Amino acid sequence: MKIAVYQMELVPGSPEENREKVSRWVETQMQEDAPDIIVLPEMWTTSYVLEQLDATADESSEPTQSYLSDLAKKHQINIVGGSIANKVNGNIYNTSLIFNRNGELVYKYNKIHLVPMLNEPAYLTGGEEKVETFELDGVRMGVIICYDLRFPELARKLALDGAQVLFVVAEWPKPRTNHWVSLQIARAIENQMYVVSSNNVGTLDGVEYTGASLIVDPWGEVVAKGSENKEETIKGSLNPERVVEVRKNVPVFASRVPDLY
Ligand SMILES: NC(=O)CCC(=O)C(=O)O
């Protein structure tokens, strides 16, 4: 299962330009070594231009939902569609959309933990639904959004529900790069799952975003890592049998005693 992660430099506040960038990037990927799954970063249509979100957010996920669905169908690829600002009944959510190769929306997730350091709670509404897994090409997976990474309960719940791969879509600032990298490796080791992340690069309102998008295997080894300052594509492949092997060799899930904690 081949993965291509877009470590994207966003055009702040310009969904149309960002959708065009993604279309061009996907065309390039398909001409090279066509991936099975592509991954986009958090809030990739708008970035964190929060005071403009009322005007730039999608309405009930449109038009980005249709755009990504058409893109998946056209290229017959699975899409982990990062996340978008998404207005529903007057509230703006930070919403991730996942599509299979037929362009079907297989999962939609509203970011639960809003990040105080980027002032998200002043502009966005936190998700109220439980995280769930989804399936792409017969493999069970989960997605969380950026600050969610700091709450290990989410990844653990998804692993217990059968996820073998965890996607983390993000706009993670540079001053906390060591947290970004270490927490992903920790989630991979403790849950014995692949962790695949897409983080943006560039600077907005004095905040520099760190890139360093990762593919970490279930043993905690970094299989691929993006640079910390430029737009690029991170590639790797996932082998679900590796998850089974690691879980067999170190049987953490069988050793749990959840009644005691
Ligand atoms: N976009 C985010 O959720 C950023 C999270 C962050 O900066 C942190 O957890 O640190």
Side-chain angles (χ1 to χ4, degrees), residues 42 48 111 113 115 117-118 120 145-148 150 170-173 176 179:
E42 182 183 18
Y48 273 94
K111 183 180 187 181
H113 303 100
V115 56
M117 297 85 85
L118 294 178
E120 261 191 333
I145 304 178
C146 208
Y147 189 49
D148 283 337
R150 293 185 181 275
E171 281 203 43
W172 194 288
R176 298 184 287 279
H179 299 187

Side-chain angles (χ1 to χ4, degrees), residues 65-66 68-74 76-79 98-106:
Q65 183 169 320
S66 297
L68 289 175
S69 168
D70 290 347
L71 199 65
K73 243 184 302 189
K74 177 177 173 194
Q76 291 284 292
I77 44 167
N78 301 292
I79 299 183
I98 315 292
F99 300 84
N100 66 17
R101 293 179 190 270
N102 301 323
E104 292 157 349
L105 180 70
V106 297

Side-chain angles (χ1 to χ4, degrees), residues 143-185:
V143 65
I144 60 174
I145 304 178
C146 208
Y147 189 49
D148 283 337
L149 179 62
R150 293 185 181 275
F151 303 85
E153 299 88 343
L154 269 81
R156 176 47 58 98
K157 184 211 182 270
L158 292 167
L160 289 172
D161 289 351
Q164 296 186 314
V165 183
L166 177 71
F167 292 98
V168 188
V169 300
E171 281 203 43
W172 194 288
K174 204 170 198 82
R176 298 184 287 279
T177 303
N178 66 329
H179 299 187
W180 167 244
V181 172
S182 304
L183 287 171
Q184 289 181 74
I185 295 172

